[in-house]
Amino acid sequence: MIDELDRRLIALLRADSRTPAANLAKALKVSRGTVQNRIERLQARGVVQGFTIRTKPELEGNRVRAIMCVEIEGERARAVVQALRGFPEVDKIHSTNGRWDLVVELDVETLAQFSQALDRIREIEGIATTETSILLATQKA
């Protein structure tokens, strides 16, 4: 799978995915070629699925982000997850332990879209109960 060098490389890329390979190599005490080969291998194996950016929170100030906790009836988890994948408002789906079966991250542009998404998600066959909280502020990215 991945070794300690891969883990350290991934941690550096998480902090800043635009760090030049030469700088990564210096931090990891390996050659630039090693860093490039490792990144290519991690991408080819699907460990690294892409690179992204983070924006200033004030640029996204009007977006509505929320966490929805979902309880699933019986053995319907696979069908519920499949249905949730079809919603553009669903950013991430996490399986969990404890009271809730899933934690779903929602991201929409307006409260009206948020309300519509909640209504449509709650209609998915197999969802027993949901509890949703709007994210008001992010303390650490």
Side-chain angles (χ1 to χ4, degrees):
M1 192 74 179
I2 64 172
D3 62 15
E4 183 59 27
L5 181 58
D6 289 334
R7 281 190 260 290
R8 290 175 38 221
L9 175 58
I10 290 168
L12 291 171
L13 290 170
R14 277 191 180 126
D16 183 359
S17 63
R18 294 192 60 196
T19 303
N23 293 6
L24 293 168
K26 184 176 179 182
L28 295 169
K29 297 182 171 77
V30 297
S31 73
R32 193 181 72 140
T34 297
V35 167
Q36 290 172 318
N37 290 337
R38 292 278 180 140
I39 291 172
E40 287 172 13
R41 185 175 50 100
L42 290 168
Q43 286 178 296
R45 292 174 45 206
V47 175
V48 173
Q49 296 181 346
F51 297 88
T52 188
I53 62 167
R54 287 188 306 258
T55 58
K56 291 182 177 182
E58 56 269 19
L59 294 176
E60 305 264 331
N62 294 329
R63 294 195 70 76
V64 178
R65 294 178 50 242
I67 299 294
M68 174 184 273
C69 298
V70 179
E71 181 182 355
I72 298 172
E73 297 172 340
E75 301 295 321
R76 305 199 46 104
R78 181 174 290 160
V80 169
V81 169
Q82 190 68 353
L84 287 169
R85 284 187 178 138
F87 284 79
E89 301 89 350
V90 172
D91 187 37
K92 294 183 180 116
I93 304 168
H94 308 276
S95 58
T96 64
N97 65 337
R99 167 152 167 45
W100 302 105
D101 298 303
L102 299 174
V103 174
V104 179
E105 294 182 43
L106 302 169
D107 187 355
V108 297
E109 291 185 27
T110 67
L111 281 173
Q113 289 175 336
F114 176 68
S115 180
Q116 291 167 359
L118 290 183
D119 291 343
R120 290 183 11 250
I121 289 171
R122 289 178 179 144
E123 292 175 353
I124 295 173
E125 191 172 333
I127 291 183
T129 307
T130 65
E131 182 178 302
T132 305
S133 298
I134 293 177
L135 301 175
L136 300 175
T138 301
Q139 304 303 320
K140 180 180 177 184

